[in-house]
């Protein structure tokens, strides 16, 4: 249910937050040249419900999500994570 909730939340994001989510999950805020259909993101559970934020390993397009107790908590934690994530700052 966590993954289903996560996708429902991402689909409700505005374009700017969708771009932030892509940056959070992959390290890039742009779609691959081949298109988003070619992008493979792996989602995994990161333990039981907690106050931890979702985390990601951008080199592997791997997103770890605690098993939050509600969709609303997941929305709040995911939004906080994408709003405050920062890459390496390379230009």
């Amino acid at each position: 249910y966590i993954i289903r909730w996560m996708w429902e939340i991402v689909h409700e994001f505005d374009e700017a937050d969708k771009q932030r989510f892509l940056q959070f999950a992959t390290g890039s805020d742009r779609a691959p040249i081949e298109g988003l259909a070619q992008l493979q993101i792996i989602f995994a559970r990161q333990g039981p419900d907690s106050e931890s934020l979702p985390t990601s390993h951008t080199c592997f397009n791997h997103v770890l999500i605690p098993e939050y107790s509600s969709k609303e908590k997941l929305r709040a934690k995911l939004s906080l994570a994408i709003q405050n994530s920062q890459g390496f700052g390379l230009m």
Side-chain angles (χ1 to χ4, degrees), residues 30-48:
R30 306 211 185 262
I33 292 173
E34 304 88 20
L36 288 174
Q38 298 302 313
L39 184 62
Q40 293 185 6
I41 301 175
I42 299 168
F43 298 95
R45 187 176 72 106
Q46 184 182 21

Side-chain angles (χ1 to χ4, degrees), residues 8-9 26 28 31 49 65 70-71 76 82 86:
E8 290 171 3
I9 292 165
T26 68
S28 174
D49 187 21
I65 305 171
S70 70
K71 184 177 177 180
I82 68 169
Q86 184 174 349

Side-chain angles (χ1 to χ4, degrees), residues 7 9-32 36 39 41 56 58 78-79 81-87:
W7 280 119
I9 292 165
V10 170
H11 284 289
E12 294 168 3
F13 281 164
D14 62 22
E15 291 304 311
D17 280 344
K18 286 178 182 175
Q19 198 169 16
R20 285 184 193 98
F21 176 77
L22 188 60
Q23 173 78 37
F24 174 76
T26 68
S28 174
D29 63 353
R30 306 211 185 262
L36 288 174
L39 184 62
I41 301 175
S56 65
T58 57
L78 184 60
S79 293
I82 68 169
Q83 294 290 333
N84 293 289
S85 68
Q86 184 174 349

